[in-house]
């Protein structure tokens, strides 16, 4: 599953819509150390585009965005800065 | 401190800002701000700080709500006419946001009580409507080393400045002495457009939020003047005066004075 990327924390935000998808993702990143990796599971399509964009705007690194089935996306984000 | 689901929703537009985030919102929820006056300026300042989730808002005012207040004092209403401004504002702010504790004080601020009132707060906001109070609040904040966000309004004009004792100017660096009584008219004498305190109070609220977050540049060593007739904002540099009687190198004002002497309070 990790394709060689170690996952330090996972959140499942299925059922949430914007902006709460990003609120939850951002709070999860805040609680991590720089260098740690977050996996996000979501089912709100718009967030599969907006979360990666917002994370990059906030200085974090988007490692992966993948559609894993008909309804769900998996994002992998590495914390680059506080 | 973990946020409740209600808090995540209420503060979501804060949390998604890079300058705020969960950390900044927690700072806001822990912050304590003391507002002088529940009038034209105190209403919008308190309203926005309550909305922002500033955890403790102290507020002092000794007046009751009058019909002539309602053209600009937006925390009060026709239903609260005759009620103390403190009770009226407290009900409004707590209805807006139950996270906020409003500590209301129905007294006149004076040299004998101000230091005791402000000592437990992080930041002071001056929304008073007269010079003796403005100088009292300035001198008290310099002596107590409390950041002060000062606002003033008249007619179509508003002033905002942020005083950070030890770092920047104070009100007496700007205007060393009070103007003689009668020289500067009051709003009661000269009038004020109702939205002016809305603009100035909102600017004050943002200065407070920036001080709490530690983000951006506040109006330190700067006086901001809003001219609503021309729709202009001017920034005036106000250097710290080394000879300032209260914040200078050799201050002559080291305890609070009798600011009312010679002033008849035009209310």
């Amino acid at each position: 599953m990790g394709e060689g990327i170690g996952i330090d924390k996972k959140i499942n935000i299925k059922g949430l819509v914007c902006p709460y998808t990003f609120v939850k993702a951002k709070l999860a990143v805040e609680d991590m150390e720089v260098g740690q990796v977050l996996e996000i599971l979501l089912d709100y399509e718009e967030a599969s585009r907006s979360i990666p964009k917002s994370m990059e705007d906030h200085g974090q690194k988007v490692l992966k965005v993948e559609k894993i089935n008909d309804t769900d996306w998996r994002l992998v984000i590495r914390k680059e800065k506080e | 401190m973990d946020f409740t689901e209600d808090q995540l929703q209420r503060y979501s537009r804060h949390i998604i800002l890079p300058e705020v985030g969960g950390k900044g919102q927690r700072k806001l929820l822990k912050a304590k701000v003391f507002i002088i006056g529940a009038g034209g300026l105190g209403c919008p300042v308190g309203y926005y700080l309550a909305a922002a989730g500033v955890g403790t808002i102290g507020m002092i005012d000794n007046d009751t709500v009058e019909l002539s207040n309602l053209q600009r004092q937006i925390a009060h209403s026709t239903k609260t006419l005759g009620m103390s401004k403190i009770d009226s504002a407290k009900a409004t702010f707590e209805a807006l946001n139950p996270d906020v504790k409003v500590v209301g004080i129905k007294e006149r601020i004076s040299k004998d009580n101000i230091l005791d009132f402000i000592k437990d707060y992080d930041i002071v906001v001056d929304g008073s409507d007269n010079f003796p109070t403005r100088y009292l609040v300035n001198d008290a904040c310099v002596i107590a080393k409390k950041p002060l966000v000062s606002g003033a309004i008249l007619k179509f004009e508003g002033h905002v400045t942020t005083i950070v004792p030890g770092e920047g100017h104070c009100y007496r660096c700007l205007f060393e002495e009070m103007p003689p009584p009668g020289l500067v008219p009051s709003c009661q004498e000269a009038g004020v457009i109702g939205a002016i305190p809305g603009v100035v109070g909102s600017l004050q609220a943002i200065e407070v939020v920036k001080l709490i977050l530690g983000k951006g540049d506040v109006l330190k060593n700067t006086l901001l003047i809003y001219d609503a007739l021309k729709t202009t904002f001017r920034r005036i540099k106000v250097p710290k005066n080394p000879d300032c009687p209260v914040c200078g190198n050799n201050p002559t004002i080291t305890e609070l004075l009798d600011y009312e002497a010679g002033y008849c309070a035009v209310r």
Side-chain angles (χ1 to χ4, degrees):
Chain A
M1 282 290 284
E3 295 96 21
I5 304 165
I7 303 289
D8 297 289
K9 183 172 188 165
K10 295 182 182 188
I11 57 170
N12 180 340
I13 52 172
K14 286 171 68 167
L16 289 184
V17 298
C18 293
Y20 308 109
T21 44
F22 184 60
V23 169
K24 291 274 192 185
K26 182 171 161 62
L27 290 174
V29 170
E30 279 187 22
D31 284 341
M32 292 162 49
E33 305 294 326
V34 169
Q36 289 190 320
V37 175
L38 173 69
E39 180 188 271
I40 305 167
L41 192 64
L42 59 93
D43 62 3
Y44 187 66
E45 190 202 354
E46 189 186 327
S48 71
R49 293 187 300 272
S50 63
I51 288 180
K53 182 177 183 309
S54 298
M55 283 293 175
E56 287 189 341
D57 288 348
H58 288 226
Q60 314 307 346
K61 176 79 177 167
V62 179
L63 300 178
K64 203 163 194 62
V65 178
E66 62 177 344
K67 195 161 193 312
I68 54 175
N69 58 41
D70 286 349
T71 56
D72 301 344
W73 283 261
R74 176 178 172 266
L75 313 182
V76 182
I77 313 282
R78 187 170 67 219
K79 179 167 181 171
E80 298 284 301
K81 59 176 269 195
E82 284 295 338
Chain B
M1 184 203 82
D2 282 333
F3 295 107
T4 64
E5 286 302 315
D6 278 357
Q7 287 177 321
L8 287 184
Q9 292 190 30
R10 181 182 288 274
Y11 306 119
S12 59
R13 269 60 170 182
H14 274 169
I15 293 170
I16 60 183
L17 288 168
E19 294 81 0
V20 186
K23 282 178 192 160
Q25 189 59 51
R26 286 186 192 96
K27 285 184 188 172
L28 290 166
L29 286 163
K30 282 184 194 148
K32 297 180 175 181
V33 178
F34 193 82
I35 303 173
I36 316 280
L41 294 170
C43 285
V45 173
Y47 225 143
Y48 272 114
L49 294 184
V54 168
T56 306
I57 297 175
M59 195 168 220
I60 183 164
D61 198 302
N62 202 30
D63 288 345
T64 53
V65 179
E66 296 174 17
L67 199 47
S68 64
N69 302 147
L70 301 185
Q71 161 257 19
R72 65 197 177 285
Q73 299 185 16
I74 57 168
H76 313 308
S77 79
T78 312
K79 286 181 183 165
T80 63
L81 286 172
M83 190 187 281
S84 73
K85 287 188 179 176
I86 286 301
D87 287 341
S88 171
K90 181 178 163 75
T92 301
F93 301 156
E94 290 182 346
L96 175 64
N97 189 349
D99 286 346
V100 175
K101 180 181 164 200
V102 178
V103 181
I105 303 157
K106 290 178 229 174
E107 285 182 48
R108 238 181 114 68
I109 195 95
S110 76
K111 72 180 174 66
D112 299 317
N113 62 22
I114 186 168
L115 291 171
D116 203 37
F117 286 141
I118 67 176
K119 73 176 191 306
D120 295 327
Y121 289 85
D122 307 315
I123 298 166
V124 178
V125 177
D126 187 7
S128 68
D129 62 354
N130 63 83
F131 285 103
T133 305
R134 187 161 305 141
Y135 280 78
L136 165 68
V137 174
N138 176 75
D139 295 356
C141 286
V142 171
I143 288 169
K145 298 186 172 59
K146 298 284 180 183
L148 166 64
V149 181
S150 184
I153 52 167
L154 191 68
K155 299 184 190 178
F156 285 84
E157 191 170 299
H159 292 187
V160 189
T161 190
T162 296
I163 291 156
V164 185
E167 293 184 23
H169 78 300
C170 85
Y171 207 79
R172 284 189 190 271
C173 299
L174 183 58
F175 305 111
E176 189 167 321
E177 297 293 335
M178 283 189 258
L183 183 70
V184 179
S186 67
C187 287
Q188 186 173 318
E189 296 163 319
V192 61
I193 289 290
I196 294 284
V199 172
V200 172
S202 299
L203 288 165
Q204 287 179 281
I206 294 176
E207 290 289 289
V208 170
V209 167
K210 290 189 297 180
L211 285 168
I212 293 169
L213 297 175
K215 298 287 181 185
D217 300 314
V218 294
L219 290 166
K220 204 163 59 179
N221 294 324
T222 307
L223 173 69
L224 184 70
I225 300 178
Y226 170 54
D227 181 335
L229 282 177
K230 293 181 185 152
T231 321
T232 56
F233 284 92
R234 281 189 297 150
R235 291 170 62 97
I236 312 289
K237 280 194 177 169
V238 185
K240 183 170 161 62
N241 175 9
D243 299 322
C244 173
V246 67
C247 79
N249 298 333
N250 298 295
T252 53
I253 300 170
T254 52
E255 58 185 53
L256 298 174
L257 312 169
D258 187 3
Y259 298 83
E260 299 281 352
Y263 256 86
C264 73
V266 181
R267 306 293 299 174

